[in-house]
Amino acid sequence: MRRLAPFALLLLCAGLSSAQMYRFSVNPAESGIDGAIEIALNLPGTLIGNYDAASNPTGTRTKPGILGTFGSTENVAVPVTVSGKVGGRTAGSLRTATSGTFVLDFDPAGLKVHALALELDLLNGQALEIPATLSLTESGFRTRNPTFTYLAGTLPIPIGTVVLSAFTARMGTPSQAGTMVHVSGNQYTYSIVVPVQIEATARIMGNEVQLPAQPFDMVLAGVVVLDGANASLSSQNTFTLEETRHPNTPVPPMAVDLPTFGDPAHVVMSLTIETQTTYFSGTATVQATGVRETTALVSAAVSFGDLGAGASTPGPVVFEVRQAGSLTVLYRRSVQLGVGGTGAFSLPLGAYDIALKHSHWLRRTLPIALGAAGANLAFPIVNGDVNGDNSVNIADYLILRAAFGSSSGAANWVLDADLDHSGSVGTNDFLILRRNFGRSGDR
Ligand SMILES: [Ca+2]
Ligand SMILES: [Ca+2]
């Protein structure tokens, strides 16, 4: 067996050396979205006059109800609901240029492609004005400075347009492998699904509102030419996203002027995004050029602390590749470890911190300076973090205690309380937790 080892290693290297990693830059002149976006929102909350006895004594005051007294310093919050739509569903109403970068790792021999990083500015630095209609539903209230009575009902908020000031797609979790098909020469067709978070910031009447991130499976599919040091890639696909979420995210207080018969009433709204329905549809076109990265192999040996002797290797595990000395994640590599907890992945040469946090083990973060010769990393990881918050403490103990004696299928079974992967939660799991009690993982 020993004599086979160098040969096996050679095969491993041969297999991996066919990987070709390119960093692509999107050409905004030829890339963009042609489609439509509509964000429908329902935001319950309150409004209150901007009066302040000390700093704004002549400000607007508010009080719920249309009858009764209104003291000379009274300023009472009024329950309201703001609802409406930003944008619309007319095809072609959204036309944007896209810029950004992404890294793809091609394996022309295995006909597989992985996405390592993706960061797109879907507006290419331009703010986008989108028509918006918002209305305010209330059950009757009065104002002073100016004096006005709003009868129960719905009134339009004079908002005009919303400015989409940021609209980005950023890769989150690692992508599954995509596919490649050889066409001719160094030309391939390819297709890969990249899980991204879409983030949007809207400026509504001068107030910046960060909308809750929307997960989206972005498809890159088209033709790629891998030409040694350089690559060129095209992608075109149609997509439709329609999803309703209930983020219950509070919005920072917004100053709004409400119409009266005379001067407007100056109020501050405190709202929560209760319901957000996003419709995003169209054709996305990407033209990008790539520069080949010089890569080397990172070999990792993960020792899962206190894993039972008969248990199989957990995984796949996700290595977070961070900028050296920072928490900024550059890549996430999902690796199915072999027997004994070893695995390998390629990275561009450079300095990084590599972090591993797997289920109920604590995070371990190791610095590497990756040169052409590659690097070997040993990850001994500490067991006992039942709830996955990167510390072993009383919270983990309480979950383990509630699951004590259970096995898979039982009502009180908790998978991550089975610290030794024996199939049940028992004394040995308790001893592991006790031994590591009080420990925390790396950042
Ligand atoms: Ca914990
Ligand atoms: Ca167990």
Side-chain angles (χ1 to χ4, degrees):
M1 283 302 286
R2 287 182 68 90
R3 289 180 56 195
L4 275 176
F7 179 61
L9 192 67
L10 196 67
L11 273 182
L12 183 73
C13 291
L16 284 158
S17 67
S18 71
Q20 300 181 31
M21 194 183 295
Y22 289 87
R23 179 176 301 276
F24 287 92
S25 296
V26 177
N27 177 0
E30 296 178 75
S31 307
I33 292 165
D34 184 343
I37 188 165
E38 180 187 84
I39 301 169
L41 296 164
N42 194 55
L43 309 108
T46 59
L47 64 76
I48 190 165
N50 69 348
Y51 166 85
D52 183 278
S55 64
N56 192 18
T58 60
T60 298
R61 295 182 292 116
T62 54
K63 187 170 183 181
I66 59 170
L67 296 170
T69 59
F70 200 145
S72 63
T73 58
E74 262 191 298
N75 188 29
V76 184
V78 177
V80 295
T81 297
V82 171
S83 54
K85 282 178 181 166
V86 177
R89 300 195 176 203
T90 309
S93 57
L94 178 79
R95 281 212 171 88
T96 64
T98 299
S99 57
T101 60
F102 53 92
V103 178
L104 296 180
D105 194 7
F106 296 95
D107 175 6
L111 294 175
K112 295 252 184 298
V113 54
H114 285 89
L116 272 73
L118 179 142
E119 219 169 304
L120 297 181
D121 177 353
L122 302 174
L123 298 178
N124 186 32
Q126 306 291 308
L128 192 69
E129 280 197 14
I130 299 181
T133 50
L134 286 184
S135 59
L136 177 82
T137 303
E138 40 77 30
S139 48
F141 68 100
R142 287 166 292 159
T143 62
R144 294 291 181 266
N145 297 330
T147 295
F148 196 71
T149 299
Y150 293 89
L151 298 175
T154 298
L155 62 141
I157 302 179
I159 180 175
T161 56
V162 161
V163 176
L164 202 57
S165 53
F167 191 33
T168 61
R170 203 182 301 268
M171 186 169 164
T173 48
S175 75
Q176 299 291 311
T179 55
M180 300 170 70
V181 176
H182 187 226
V183 179
S184 65
N186 46 16
Q187 187 175 330
Y188 300 81
T189 58
Y190 73 97
S191 175
I192 183 167
V193 178
V194 184
V196 298
Q197 297 281 334
I198 294 197
E199 288 175 12
T201 304
R203 203 155 56 229
I204 304 173
M205 289 176 291
N207 304 277
E208 292 267 313
V209 177
Q210 170 89 52
L211 296 170
Q214 171 75 52
F216 182 55
D217 281 340
M218 182 172 181
V219 177
L220 289 173
V223 175
V224 65
V225 177
L226 304 177
D227 197 6
N230 299 295
S232 62
L233 171 146
S234 67
S235 169
Q236 188 169 66
N237 75 295
T238 57
F239 63 92
T240 298
L241 163 76
E242 185 165 10
E243 199 177 303
T244 297
R245 298 165 71 79
H246 301 280
N248 290 314
T249 307
V251 174
M254 285 180 16
V256 176
D257 287 350
L258 294 180
T260 71
F261 291 143
D263 293 333
H266 306 292
V267 301
V268 177
M269 291 197 195
S270 298
L271 305 170
T272 296
I273 302 177
E274 182 201 69
T275 309
Q276 175 179 346
T277 301
T278 306
Y279 172 85
F280 183 30
S281 173
T283 303
T285 306
V286 174
Q287 295 283 346
T289 52
V291 176
R292 179 135 183 208
E293 299 270 16
T294 307
T295 60
L297 209 57
V298 177
S299 302
V302 181
S303 312
F304 295 89
D306 296 306
L307 184 66
S312 54
T313 305
V317 299
V318 175
F319 293 96
E320 227 177 57
V321 182
R322 301 174 181 168
Q323 230 165 52
S326 106
L327 296 179
T328 304
V329 177
L330 300 171
Y331 315 110
R332 287 187 175 84
R333 305 289 324 230
S334 178
V335 178
Q336 183 65 60
L337 301 173
V339 180
T342 57
F345 52 95
S346 51
L347 280 182
L349 306 189
Y352 307 100
D353 290 339
I354 303 207
L356 175 64
K357 169 80 179 92
H358 188 72
S359 67
H360 51 80
W361 282 274
L362 296 175
R363 182 180 295 108
R364 172 101 32 192
T365 305
L366 301 172
I368 60 162
L370 185 62
N376 295 301
L377 291 177
F379 281 89
I381 51 176
V382 173
N383 207 337
D385 180 17
V386 178
N387 66 358
D389 69 353
N390 205 31
S391 298
V392 183
N393 58 30
I394 191 75
D396 303 300
Y397 168 73
L398 292 174
I399 299 169
L400 191 144
R401 191 180 67 175
F404 201 84
S406 68
S407 15
S408 177
N412 64 333
W413 165 249
V414 177
L415 179 70
D416 281 340
D418 179 16
L419 297 173
D420 61 0
H421 290 197
S422 67
S424 61
V425 179
T427 307
N428 193 43
D429 302 307
F430 169 71
L431 293 174
I432 293 167
L433 192 145
R434 194 179 67 174
R435 189 156 54 242
N436 295 326
F437 200 85
R439 296 185 67 169
S440 287
D442 296 336
R443 290 228 297 161

